[in-house]
Amino acid sequence: MDTIKVRMQTNPSIFTGLMQTGRKTITEEGISALWKGAVPTAMGMVAENAVAFSVNEALKRAFPDPNKNSSLNNDGRPDLLRPFFMGAITGCCSALVLLPSEIIKAKTQVLVGSEGASSNEVFRRMMQRQGIKSIFCGLDSQLMRDGPFYAVFFGGYELNCYLFRTYVPSMPDELNYFLSGGFAGMMGWFAAMPFDVPKTNVQSRWDTKIVGSYFPEMAKIIRKRGFFALYNGLGPTLVRAFPANAALFLGVETGKKFFDRLLW
């Protein structure tokens, strides 16, 4: 799904829709082309999630919600704005570790055909052209995408959990985590998609600056294709977002319970 999304975002005149992009990619390059950039994607996701959940949990412990366990808060409602702010800070931290793998992935996924299209070959070309600074190109674009995404991602998750606990009190915790996480992922990507399209375009090019290419690219996309071009690739992103993030939050919450019992 990610290869389809990236191609729809960077070349919408050729890759016009979810099904059309999938068929064209498979017909011309084989089904393995859908996994282009899989190695940097997997490495980036491991680092990203490790940093994101660690930082977010540290922020929650450093700045605890005063409404929880407070005698002044009789309805037991948590501060629902606090997770959004903490999520934005988390996103800025995770962006720093995710950036190199995102650049390699984007450049790999836009290449059509097999010649020179592996992640290793793309990385070598990056080093030859721009040196070490090539893995930091588009830093502003990564921050602009990940800040809003994680604000809505973590904030939406806490909101969803609270709503399910309040209005569906009989729901098992595991189902709550699963549904809340899935919907939070969809909400996060819907909010971040206008920032993701120019980010993908900036990072897939070979002339991008470390800072300064993002906003001109966003303005160019809006001027040439209109505002709704910033939502190119939303379909495959949402299809992927629910199951991936539902499983992610269920695993995280289950793991926290397990280790809390084991260690404490």
Side-chain angles (χ1 to χ4, degrees):
M1 284 293 178
D2 198 63
T3 300
I4 293 173
K5 173 185 80 82
V6 167
R7 291 186 171 189
M8 288 175 63
Q9 289 177 337
T10 56
N11 205 340
S13 60
I14 295 176
F15 301 105
T16 58
L18 172 59
M19 300 304 294
Q20 184 267 351
T21 303
R23 282 196 305 268
K24 185 175 179 62
T25 300
I26 293 171
T27 301
E28 295 182 359
E29 302 171 67
I31 195 168
S32 62
L34 297 178
W35 279 269
K36 279 189 173 183
V39 173
T41 299
M43 294 173 62
M45 287 178 65
V46 170
E48 174 192 15
N49 288 320
V51 170
F53 282 92
S54 299
V55 169
N56 195 254
E57 192 64 29
L59 288 171
K60 288 195 288 187
R61 294 185 181 186
F63 305 100
D65 185 350
N67 290 345
K68 288 187 176 180
N69 304 320
S70 172
S71 59
L72 300 176
N73 186 29
N74 295 324
D75 62 358
R77 186 180 69 183
D79 181 354
L80 296 175
L81 288 179
R82 184 177 295 260
F84 285 88
F85 290 118
M86 291 184 177
I89 297 171
T90 300
C92 293
C93 295
S94 69
L96 300 178
V97 300
L98 183 61
L99 178 61
S101 64
E102 285 284 283
I103 295 171
I104 297 170
K105 181 202 74 170
K107 285 179 167 57
T108 303
Q109 290 175 335
V110 298
L111 293 174
V112 177
S114 58
E115 186 175 351
S118 73
S119 298
N120 286 336
E121 290 168 328
V122 167
F123 179 70
R124 280 198 295 269
R125 288 169 60 190
M126 287 168 54
M127 290 295 106
Q128 290 169 358
R129 291 191 180 200
Q130 293 180 295
I132 194 66
K133 79 170 189 176
S134 65
I135 63 173
F136 298 105
C137 288
L139 173 61
D140 51 350
S141 68
Q142 196 72 42
L143 292 170
M144 285 299 300
R145 196 281 303 272
D146 286 356
F149 173 78
Y150 276 107
V152 179
F153 184 64
F154 283 114
Y157 176 72
E158 296 293 339
L159 175 62
N160 291 336
C161 284
Y162 169 74
L163 292 175
F164 280 128
R165 282 195 299 266
T166 302
Y167 297 105
V168 194
S170 61
M171 178 182 290
D173 285 344
E174 290 76 13
L175 182 58
N176 189 344
Y177 302 148
F178 186 84
L179 294 177
S180 296
F183 289 130
M186 295 179 74
M187 292 162 61
W189 273 110
F190 187 84
M193 186 56 65
F195 306 101
D196 185 62
V197 172
K199 168 198 155 306
T200 302
N201 280 268
V202 162
Q203 292 179 343
S204 65
R205 296 204 316 256
W206 295 87
D207 59 348
T208 299
K209 305 173 185 175
I210 293 178
V211 175
S213 300
Y214 178 74
F215 289 105
E217 182 67 24
M218 176 181 274
K220 184 175 78 172
I221 291 172
I222 295 174
R223 185 174 63 252
K224 288 188 174 181
R225 298 186 246 157
F227 175 79
F228 288 105
L230 296 178
Y231 282 92
N232 279 350
L234 180 62
T237 302
L238 295 183
V239 169
R240 179 192 62 182
F242 185 91
N245 292 292
L248 175 63
F249 270 105
L250 177 60
V252 168
E253 296 288 4
T254 303
K256 283 166 60 178
K257 283 186 176 182
F258 173 78
F259 285 109
D260 283 345
R261 286 196 300 267
L262 183 68
L263 300 177
W264 309 110

